[in-house]
Amino acid sequence: MYLDAIIIGAGFSGLYQLHKCRDQLGLKTLVIEEGKDIGGTWYWNKYPGSRCDTESHIYCYTFSEDIYKNWKWKERYPKQKEILSYLKYVEKKLRLRKNIIFNNKVISADYLDKKNLWRVKTNKKKFFYCKYLISAVGSLSAANVPNIKGIKSFKGEWYHSGRWPDKKISFKNQKVAQIGTGSSGIQIAPVVAKSAKLLTVFQRTPNYSVPARNRKLTKTFIENTKKNYKQIKNLLTKTPGGHAFYFSKKSIFEFNERKRLNILEKAWLDGGLSFRACFSDITKKLDANKIVSNYIKEKINNIVKDKDVAKQLTDFGHPFTSKRPTLNTNYFETFNKKNVRLIDLKENPIVKITKNGIKTKNEELKFDKIIFATGYDALSGPILSLNLTGRKNIKLNKYWKNGPTTYLGLMIPNFPNFFIISGPGSPSVLTNVPAQIQQHVEWISEFIKYLEKSKSISVEPKAKEAENWVKKINTIANKSLFMKAKNSWYKGDNIPGKPKTFIPYPAGLPQYREICNKVRKKMYKGFNITLK
Ligand code: N01
């Protein structure tokens, strides 16, 4: 089957890209989706407590006033189910489903030099041909299930948070192990602890976490967001993370201790990701960061009753925000429950998984279920899993052996007409993702329009430009607090053998947007465009 454009993935990015390609560019377009339905991340992440930690009124599309205003969010942070319903609402409005095929996983894609076409193969042995291939597979979709000895022998069920099964899973009266304490794990533990007989949380690195302070949205708030649609849309293009808050312009050192504390207390009570923005230098300067890191530590110490457990939960070893900040609802309170236990893997590492549970250095534990909240092979993992072969038979896994090389995070040298939404080298995971996605989809669509108009056969970035882009990212990252985290998925540390390089673009969305716009204005400088 021949198409002008194939989009891989039917999440936030794939759906909008389909609308753009089909309805605005008039391209014959198909979306290929591995899942049974639309949703992407929000299709797979059905784990207990799954909820977005960006606020609902901005974790959505802003490209259409009608779509924005005709949807009513229920809570400050939307539940996984609510986001899925929202995406279904958008899909229905734009009539997207008819151009999506489900239950098909792309297992390879080869660029046919002579024909200037991509040949895409799915696990159902279906072949598709297209001129433009667009990855909308997301940044955090390649689940990382650690290779722990004995996993196959486990008699109970195990699950990964990002590949949660469709069926209803009960933890009632069950002995449950949870490995991992990132954003997902911090959401899972309080919910599972409510019904499990025993929940044992295995922690490799403790995580800073700020209260989410979730609440039902008031009628007035909802009305105001609709009334202020244009201002909100505009605001999301101005703030570094595409969130609805600016960073304070004032350093923490401009205030005496009492005033500092007042500001921190207020931000803590407000909750949410904006906590880090209450002073200008928390995310930038170690001395400012230290004050805030200690503040969080004290808050946790005040919540957790057992002093040894509190110590384990606060033995961070890295500055606040050097890893992805997390939000929580009663995470630390959960460790005051009688049926919850924390195992610090630094003191008591896992030796193997057994038939009946987990054997650690110090003991053998029985479990009915194991939850892996162990994160992802982030950003590059999902693209590599497509098994791409580019021009002249160049394999992506070889081309990226020293780390993902892209230009602007959007295209890869030697892989013509292949575009990436929210991939390595883009701000993606450091932003409110739908805001970044919209910028990407709009930029890519403009580019395709230009390519079609100029009768181009193919386009790819110049190798030098891509190398410089990677250097630029690492130069910026090296000066940032991100590099102070020993073990972070931003740098690929979580996956054995993964090249160590800073992966997302770290200088913020407005700066990134400006660079992309400049490239466009300069007639796509940095790209080689081959004309008919
Ligand atoms: O994954 P993570 P996540 N043995 O990589 C541990 C987004 N998200 O799924 O820190 C033992 O953050 C690992 O330990 P360490 C968001 O961008 C958003 O929680 O590497 N432990 C860590 O504790 C987020 O950042 C929402 O030492 C092992 C945990 O597992 C991203 O997804 C909700 C291990 C993994 O944490 C990923 O979050 C959820 C091993 N072998 C997620 N391997 C929203 O609300 C790993 N760990 C929007």
Side-chain angles (χ1 to χ4, degrees), residues 100-133:
I100 307 173
I101 57 160
F102 296 99
N103 299 307
N104 270 269
K105 181 179 163 59
V106 171
I107 54 167
S108 68
D110 307 321
Y111 189 71
L112 311 177
D113 287 277
K114 285 188 188 142
K115 295 185 175 158
N116 290 302
L117 286 178
W118 280 97
R119 181 181 55 202
V120 179
K121 186 179 174 189
T122 78
N123 61 341
K124 299 281 165 68
K125 294 200 170 75
K126 287 190 178 163
F127 285 91
F128 301 89
Y129 296 81
C130 61
K131 179 171 178 183
Y132 301 109
L133 181 62

Side-chain angles (χ1 to χ4, degrees), residues 263-283:
I263 293 170
L264 284 169
E265 281 293 306
K266 185 180 173 309
W268 188 262
L269 278 177
D270 287 347
L273 294 172
S274 60
F275 176 79
R276 66 182 189 266
C278 67
F279 296 106
S280 63
D281 38 6
I282 298 175
T283 59

Side-chain angles (χ1 to χ4, degrees), residues 90-106:
V90 176
E91 176 277 303
K92 242 186 172 166
K93 265 209 156 225
L94 300 174
R95 296 166 188 266
L96 299 172
R97 196 171 285 271
K98 59 183 175 197
N99 294 85
I100 307 173
I101 57 160
F102 296 99
N103 299 307
N104 270 269
K105 181 179 163 59
V106 171

Side-chain angles (χ1 to χ4, degrees), residues 42 45 47 51-54 59 140 144 146 148 161 179-185 187 202 204-205 207 323-324 345 350 373-376 429 487 489 494:
W42 299 105
N45 279 261
Y47 61 79
R51 190 186 280 282
C52 181
D53 58 15
T54 295
Y59 194 82
L140 297 160
N144 166 38
I148 302 175
S161 56
I179 305 176
T181 53
S183 305
S184 307
Q187 289 183 331
F202 292 82
R204 189 164 71 179
T205 312
N207 218 325
K323 296 175 81 159
R324 163 72 152 73
L345 292 173
I350 293 173
T374 41
Y376 300 89
V429 292
N487 190 7
W489 58 259
N494 63 331

